[in-house]
């Protein structure tokens, strides 16, 4: 019988630990985590490129304060080569405030927020959900020199296992590109597709939201 709905990736972790160090992200990692994710969004995310987003647009959604807020929940993990953060998974409680008070979103940032609201749908709309019920995998990214080494998979695996240990029941995310969906598929035995978006600005896209049970 399966222990949980989560695949046992301990062998992959041990293999990667021969070169990399994996640990929980800390406050000292906030700036580097922000830089890693902004670069990943602008360089490797086709929908973000379609929306012609700039660093200014992304910083509205990925500010230092927001990253600090997420990392302080002790659910996020990074892969390090020496002192360099090369891959990371940032996860938080779905109820965590993801917007900075008083910041006026740019038009592109507003579009991105609208897309996220559509993808998360009923999960965002529900006001009845308790804390520590649904964890939200908010950011997943790898430095361009370290792609295709399964580092994001290991970071996400460690983060998801930590969510399970802390008592969360589900993990929710949106997939803006194939990498996130592939990572989810490698970690969960079973998961549910919540919402799909197939067109933005008259261009074909594949945006989906996913939820997996943690037990």
């Amino acid at each position: 019988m399966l222990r949980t709905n989560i695949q046992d990736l301990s062998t992959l972790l041990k293999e990667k630990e021969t070169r990399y160090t994996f640990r929980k992200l800390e406050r000292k990692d906030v700036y580097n985590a922000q830089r890693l994710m902004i670069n990943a969004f602008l360089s490797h995310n086709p929908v973000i490129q379609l929306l012609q987003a700039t660093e200014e647009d992304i910083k509205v959604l990925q500010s230092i304060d927001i990253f600090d807020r997420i990392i302080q929940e002790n659910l996020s993990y990074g892969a390090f080569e020496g002192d360099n953060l090369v891959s990371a998974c940032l996860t938080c409680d779905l109820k965590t405030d993801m917007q900075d008070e008083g910041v006026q979103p740019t038009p592109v940032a507003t579009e991105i927020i609208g897309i996220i609201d559509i993808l998360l749908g009923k999960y965002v709309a529900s006001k009845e959900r308790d804390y520590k019920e649904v964890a939200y995998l908010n950011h997943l990214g790898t430095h361009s020199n370290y792609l295709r080494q399964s580092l994001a998979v290991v970071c996400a695996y460690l983060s998801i296992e930590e969510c399970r240990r802390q008592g969360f029941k589900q993990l929710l995310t949106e997939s803006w590109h194939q990498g996130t969906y592939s990572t989810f598929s490698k970690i969960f035995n079973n998961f549910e597709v919540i919402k799909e978006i197939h067109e933005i600005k008259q261009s074909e896209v594949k945006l989906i939201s996913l939820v997996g049970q943690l037990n």
Side-chain angles (χ1 to χ4, degrees):
M1 181 177 290
L2 293 172
R3 179 172 58 89
T4 70
N5 189 34
I6 304 168
Q7 294 276 0
D8 181 2
L9 299 184
S10 55
T11 301
L12 177 63
L13 171 61
K14 288 178 182 177
E15 174 194 328
K16 297 303 174 183
E17 283 179 327
T18 61
R19 176 176 174 183
Y20 302 100
T21 299
F22 297 88
R23 64 165 173 81
K24 280 186 183 180
L25 295 177
E26 304 170 10
R27 175 165 267 175
K28 66 182 180 180
D29 303 311
V30 168
Y31 175 77
N32 288 333
Q34 184 203 42
R35 295 310 315 163
L36 174 69
M37 294 303 175
I38 288 175
N39 289 336
F41 262 68
L42 294 177
S43 302
H44 309 306
N45 192 313
V47 179
I48 295 297
Q49 293 169 354
L50 175 65
L51 295 173
Q52 298 182 321
T54 65
E55 184 167 327
E56 179 187 1
D57 299 316
I58 301 303
K59 277 186 173 179
V60 172
L61 309 169
Q62 300 185 4
S63 73
I64 286 290
D65 287 344
I66 291 172
F67 271 61
D68 184 50
R69 210 173 295 151
I70 294 171
I71 287 173
Q72 284 192 67
E73 294 192 20
N74 292 315
L75 296 170
S76 302
Y77 275 81
F80 294 80
E81 186 174 48
D83 293 329
N84 297 321
L85 177 65
V86 298
S87 184
C89 175
L90 273 72
T91 305
C92 60
D93 194 302
L94 182 59
K95 278 187 169 285
T96 301
D97 186 3
M98 289 290 105
Q99 296 193 25
D100 285 333
E101 189 175 343
V103 174
Q104 182 64 38
T106 63
V108 173
T110 300
E111 282 187 85
I112 294 171
I113 291 169
I115 291 168
I116 293 172
D117 285 347
I118 292 170
L119 288 171
L120 300 188
K122 62 181 181 181
Y123 286 87
V124 170
S126 174
K127 305 298 182 184
E128 305 300 322
R129 190 165 288 110
D130 294 331
Y131 279 102
K132 288 203 170 182
E133 184 174 344
V134 180
Y136 177 36
L137 196 163
N138 196 303
H139 300 298
L140 189 65
T142 300
H143 189 284
S144 57
N145 293 338
Y146 295 84
L147 296 172
R148 297 179 182 86
Q149 296 187 49
S150 297
L151 297 180
V153 173
V154 174
C155 289
Y157 168 67
L158 290 169
S159 180
I160 289 167
E161 281 283 37
E162 183 61 30
C163 291
R164 185 183 61 80
R165 282 191 291 269
Q166 290 196 26
F168 286 92
K169 298 174 184 176
Q170 297 176 306
L171 184 104
L172 177 70
T173 195
E174 324 104 52
S175 172
W176 291 63
H177 54 83
Q178 183 59 33
T180 303
Y181 183 87
S182 175
T183 295
F184 222 74
S185 302
K186 290 173 182 175
I187 294 174
F188 285 97
N189 291 301
N190 297 287
F191 57 88
E192 177 187 353
V193 174
I194 302 165
K195 184 73 176 179
E196 299 184 48
I197 298 175
H198 297 289
E199 183 179 310
I200 292 176
K201 293 186 178 295
Q202 298 181 323
S203 297
E204 184 178 343
V205 297
K206 188 173 182 180
L207 290 169
I208 57 177
S209 49
L210 312 164
V211 65
Q213 302 294 325
L214 295 179
N215 50 34

